[in-house]
Amino acid sequence: MAFHVPAAYEGLFEEVEGQFRLLLAKHIVTGITEFQFNKWLTNFLTDEDRYLAARLLENLTFRSQDMVGSAIAHILQCILPAELRRLGLRFPSIEHFMKEVSAGGAHQPVRFVEVEGGNQPGKSGAVLMRELHRLGNVHNGLLIKAKDIKSQTASVKALVFVDDMLGTGKQFTDFAKANHLDEETGKRKLIYCPLAAYADGLKKLTDESPWLVVCPVEVFGQKHRFFRGEDVRPEVWAIDRVNLVADVRAHMATLCERGGISTSRYGLELLIGFHHATPNNTLPVMYAKSPWNHLLVR
């Protein structure tokens, strides 16, 4: 049987649509307008399309501005102080450390580095630097670009790389090689703090770059992939335990063809979004533009 709406889920679309509108109305989901949501829904024409849309929304992990602020606070107040203590640096309290980070100054032992992609600044890296300042109250003087790493003095004991997503690990590996980060390890500790990480990419980066301390705020894995199969019956779609994975993929391909979206852009087949950006490992039906109407911002 081709992809279909199981009898037990015939009202799912209306239920999930109503729940998502409530999240928008209460500003629990930020960065998405109701108009934007309505436009995205117009991409889905048939009952099968709308059922798939409901499953996309239901499995979306979205981090609002407040949630991103909490993730940044976790990095600044938990991860970073713990790593600095391992270096022998002590602060009277977390509050004192946060005041120091907010005050800035050349004597501070930490610098936050923008993660750049290729020869051009990575959009998410630049945005995260702004969010560190805006939501984390980090002094602008402690935010640097990769080109400034070599000029840091010996008083800088740690470089902290904050990013939104560690997927396969390739992007950061390329960034590290381009900027010869391994040469810095004898001078200072290098800490990579993505807001989210995929388990396989996390292991790969940890194995290949033992000089790097990797501390993600959240970790996602196989169970978060949209096209995942059941453990016992891998051919059956784990999300509804009725449709076949092959049929779900085929229907998604039909939608992508209609919307001018390349199926080669599936990445890790995740559904993760932040109020400020969408990782490229999220399915493109969430963020693709023209003629497709996007829901998330890439």
Side-chain angles (χ1 to χ4, degrees):
M1 181 183 293
F3 180 72
H4 63 287
V5 183
Y9 299 117
E10 287 182 353
L12 183 68
F13 173 75
E14 290 76 14
E15 180 182 341
V16 173
E17 178 193 13
Q19 292 172 347
F20 199 82
R21 289 192 187 282
L22 186 61
L23 294 175
L24 292 176
K26 290 182 174 295
H27 306 291
I28 295 172
V29 170
T30 58
I32 301 173
T33 65
E34 188 167 9
F35 175 77
Q36 200 172 326
F37 180 52
N38 290 335
K39 289 283 287 181
W40 183 72
L41 290 179
T42 64
N43 296 311
F44 304 92
L45 307 178
T46 67
D47 288 342
E48 292 76 19
D49 290 353
R50 286 187 281 273
Y51 174 63
L52 193 62
R55 291 302 189 182
L56 289 166
L57 289 173
E58 191 180 47
N59 286 272
L60 173 64
T61 297
F62 186 83
R63 297 297 177 242
S64 66
Q65 176 175 291
D66 287 346
M67 292 175 178
V68 170
S70 294
I72 289 174
H74 179 72
I75 292 171
L76 295 175
Q77 298 176 25
C78 298
I79 295 175
L80 191 50
E83 292 302 326
L84 292 178
R85 282 195 294 270
R86 292 188 179 95
L87 281 174
L89 298 176
R90 294 286 186 270
F91 299 91
S93 65
I94 296 299
E95 290 75 16
H96 180 272
F97 174 70
M98 291 302 298
K99 287 181 180 179
E100 290 286 291
V101 168
S102 299
H107 65 286
Q108 297 297 341
V110 178
R111 295 294 182 273
F112 298 85
V113 188
E114 178 181 330
V115 178
E116 302 168 356
N119 295 320
Q120 299 295 326
K123 178 183 177 182
S124 63
V127 171
L128 256 296
M129 289 296 104
R130 290 197 294 272
E131 295 295 72
L132 274 172
H133 174 66
R134 188 171 70 92
L135 302 178
N137 203 26
V138 175
H139 193 279
N140 274 326
L142 302 184
L143 309 178
I144 68 173
K145 293 183 178 295
K147 65 181 179 63
D148 300 319
I149 290 176
K150 300 298 182 185
S151 63
Q152 300 304 305
T153 65
S155 64
V156 177
K157 303 300 182 182
L159 298 176
V160 183
F161 305 88
V162 180
D163 202 358
D164 54 14
M165 179 78 193
L166 188 174
T168 63
K170 184 179 184 304
Q171 181 178 354
F172 192 85
T173 298
D174 291 345
F175 169 75
K177 289 179 179 177
N179 292 282
H180 309 286
L181 295 188
D182 57 338
E183 297 177 3
E184 294 295 313
T185 58
K187 306 173 186 176
R188 50 186 65 95
K189 177 173 280 194
L190 278 66
I191 308 168
Y192 179 37
C193 296
L195 302 185
Y198 188 70
D200 292 354
L202 175 59
K203 183 179 185 306
K204 182 176 185 293
L205 186 59
T206 302
D207 290 345
E208 294 183 359
S209 304
W211 43 266
L212 180 69
V213 178
V214 188
C215 301
V217 177
E218 291 186 87
V219 178
F220 296 83
Q222 176 66 27
K223 68 178 181 178
H224 295 96
R225 299 185 74 154
F226 188 66
F227 298 113
R228 64 189 180 276
E230 290 188 292
D231 291 339
V232 178
R233 300 180 298 167
E235 74 280 2
V236 177
W237 196 32
I239 287 178
D240 68 11
R241 299 183 177 182
V242 176
N243 281 288
L244 298 179
V245 172
D247 292 336
V248 183
R249 287 185 178 278
H251 196 81
M252 181 70 81
T254 300
L255 277 177
C256 287
E257 183 178 2
R258 185 198 307 161
I261 302 170
S262 171
T263 55
S264 65
R265 295 166 59 190
Y266 281 8
L268 292 174
E269 303 172 353
L270 301 174
L271 290 168
I272 300 173
F274 301 98
H275 81 98
H276 60 275
T278 306
N280 60 10
N281 283 296
T282 286
L283 289 172
V285 291
M286 306 305 289
Y287 62 81
K289 297 181 181 180
S290 187
W292 190 262
N293 296 307
H294 69 283
L295 179 67
L296 306 180
V297 177
R298 175 79 179 94

